[in-house]
Amino acid sequence: MLMIGLTGGIGSGKSVVASRLAQLGAVIIDADRIAREVVAPGTDGLAEIVAAFGDGVLGAEGALDRAALGGLVFADESARRRLEQITHPRVRARTVELAAAAPADAIVVNDVPLLVEVGLAPTYHLVVVVDADRAIRIDRLVRDRGMTVEEAERRIRAQTGDAQRRAAADVVLANDGDLADLHLAVETLWRDRLVPYERNLRDGVPVQGGPVALVEADPHWEAQYARIAARVRHALRPTDLRIDHIGSTAIPGLAAQDLIDLQLTVDSLAQADALAAPLAAAGFPRRAGNWWDEPRYPADGARWEKRLHGGADPGRPVNLHLRVVGSPGWRYALLMRDHLRADEEQRAGYLALKRGLVAGGPDTASYAAAKDPWFDAEHLRAERWATTTDWRP
């Protein structure tokens, strides 16, 4: 099933987004609600909190006094970490139970306030962050939760910064406007991305490429690669395989098709085949058919065989190439990337070639074939560069 991580700073409006997603059909797992359940009266979670922080965190009827506990932990980093050691494992275990009980075709949304702080982002197929200006969040906390300005600021400071939260996001929903704008953004996300993503994931279908089109270099491509790579690493644990950002989006400043290419280094194609199931479950199903790279001149004529997976997320096209370590195709992908990063003249020549070809409106196959003569020549240039610079993959 599709697992979505939903987070946002306190006062951002995350709960409003969760509520609208529930109305649209998502299964919501609320980490805050679970956190209250695992420390309810009579639980071992509450007993451990009392042992750690004293009877002063209990109310008159024996329930947890959350305000008293909050006063202790939000001003003390070590105390907050101790509380997290008690509650987080219990919350995770209950979350797993609830997700397992959801229908197989569900879109499960985990509403997790501290998703970024505890490093959970790679465990989800997609991370959605609700964002709002700090001043707006403070106003909401004062107005809706009865906090003082100082308390609201302290609560915000206790969480990770907005920049770190946005860096973990595949989708940022801005909530600085009115409720209608936020609802429209949520509905668009649901219709255009989450529903087709769930269907692709369930059917094991990667997103197919559209017409060949170049977009200007996007400074966010590297961060998008990093998030994808983190998901792949999580899916393949405990195996720790090399993952590289390759292709045009890995070359700063180069216009490219909006497609993230990654190379996963394997010891053999048999190992690549064994990884197909966990990669598909993580959102990267195998592309049908046999795949190889065309050998570059001079070559012995043998095809450079590989395995190719794609992304199931319609909002982020991905090609994941599985190549054997030390193979010609594996080496070539890394060498081409590094040479074009280093050689401004060849980078400009490659861009001019791509722009000229795209102007003719080619399909994907003819576009790739038309670049072959340039790649053959570039292979020779790159090999000479590798020799003179002592380059290593």
Side-chain angles (χ1 to χ4, degrees):
M1 63 188 67
L2 185 66
M3 302 294 292
I4 306 299
L6 173 65
T7 194
I10 186 171
S12 64
K14 173 176 57 62
S15 297
V16 176
V17 171
S19 177
R20 185 66 190 119
L21 285 169
Q23 293 168 358
L24 292 168
V27 173
I28 306 297
I29 299 177
D30 186 335
D32 270 346
R33 180 176 298 175
I34 296 172
R36 289 191 290 271
E37 291 177 358
V38 299
V39 296
T43 61
D44 60 351
L46 181 58
E48 192 169 345
I49 288 175
V50 172
F53 298 102
D55 291 339
V57 299
L58 292 177
E61 297 182 0
L64 182 64
D65 185 335
R66 300 180 71 84
L69 180 60
L72 290 175
V73 302
F74 283 108
D76 184 335
E77 176 73 11
S78 63
R80 183 165 65 86
R81 294 297 183 191
R82 178 70 187 102
L83 176 62
E84 291 170 355
Q85 291 170 0
I86 296 170
T87 59
H88 287 180
R90 291 173 169 85
V91 171
R92 284 195 293 270
R94 181 58 177 152
T95 297
V96 169
E97 291 177 0
L98 292 173
D105 62 350
I107 297 175
V108 177
V109 176
N110 284 352
D111 180 348
V112 187
L114 300 180
L115 184 152
V116 176
E117 288 87 335
V118 297
L120 291 177
T123 69
Y124 300 105
H125 293 106
L126 201 73
V127 171
V128 178
V129 168
V130 187
D131 195 37
D133 181 80
R134 185 186 185 96
I136 292 175
R137 292 164 59 193
I138 291 172
D139 286 344
R140 289 172 180 161
L141 294 173
V142 172
R143 181 191 67 223
D144 301 335
R145 304 197 193 182
M147 295 184 188
T148 64
V149 171
E150 292 74 16
E151 184 180 5
E153 290 177 339
R154 186 169 67 251
R155 292 295 182 96
I156 289 174
R157 285 196 303 270
Q159 296 182 334
T160 193
D162 293 341
Q164 291 89 339
R165 200 178 289 113
R166 284 191 290 267
D170 301 288
V171 177
V172 177
L173 295 176
N175 187 25
D176 296 320
D178 60 29
L179 185 60
D181 290 337
L182 182 61
H183 277 178
L184 179 60
V186 174
E187 291 155 10
T188 301
L189 172 66
W190 177 265
R191 180 189 66 240
D192 295 347
R193 193 163 185 178
L194 301 189
V195 169
Y197 193 171
E198 186 282 322
R199 183 173 57 249
N200 292 341
L201 183 68
R202 177 162 35 94
D203 294 343
V205 176
V207 174
Q208 302 302 314
V212 176
L214 296 183
V215 299
E216 294 306 313
D218 186 340
H220 298 105
W221 279 335
E222 191 62 30
Q224 292 170 5
Y225 151 74
R227 289 195 294 271
I228 296 165
R231 289 191 175 102
V232 172
R233 288 191 183 94
H234 178 79
L236 301 183
R237 291 183 310 167
T239 306
D240 186 16
L241 301 179
R242 175 174 173 174
I243 305 173
D244 290 280
H245 188 189
I246 59 170
S248 291
T249 60
I251 303 168
L254 185 65
Q257 296 186 74
D258 190 16
L259 171 70
I260 303 294
D261 282 281
L262 301 89
Q263 178 168 274
L264 178 64
T265 298
V266 294
D267 293 328
S268 66
L269 291 178
Q271 183 186 32
D273 293 337
L275 299 178
L279 287 173
F284 307 100
R286 184 169 168 175
R287 293 195 184 277
N290 298 316
W291 294 88
W292 59 87
D293 302 305
E294 290 296 337
R296 293 299 154 203
Y297 176 85
D300 60 9
R303 287 173 171 173
W304 294 350
E305 193 175 359
K306 65 179 178 182
R307 300 293 184 260
L308 184 63
H309 290 238
D313 175 8
R316 174 24 67 210
V318 169
N319 274 335
L320 178 60
H321 308 257
L322 282 68
R323 296 186 175 104
V324 175
V325 61
S327 65
W330 174 86
R331 185 179 190 280
Y332 178 70
L334 299 172
L335 175 58
M336 274 287 298
R337 178 200 65 188
D338 291 351
H339 182 231
L340 289 177
R341 283 176 174 176
D343 192 322
E344 183 178 356
E345 180 181 355
Q346 296 308 323
R347 191 165 62 245
Y350 182 39
L351 178 57
L353 171 70
K354 292 202 295 183
R355 290 197 190 282
L357 292 175
V358 168
D363 58 33
T364 301
S366 59
Y367 174 70
K371 293 190 293 182
D372 275 342
W374 188 89
F375 280 129
D376 285 339
E378 166 60 12
H379 184 211
L380 297 177
R381 290 189 294 265
E383 288 291 0
R384 289 193 295 269
W385 171 81
T387 299
T388 59
T389 61
D390 197 30
W391 174 86
R392 294 291 183 271

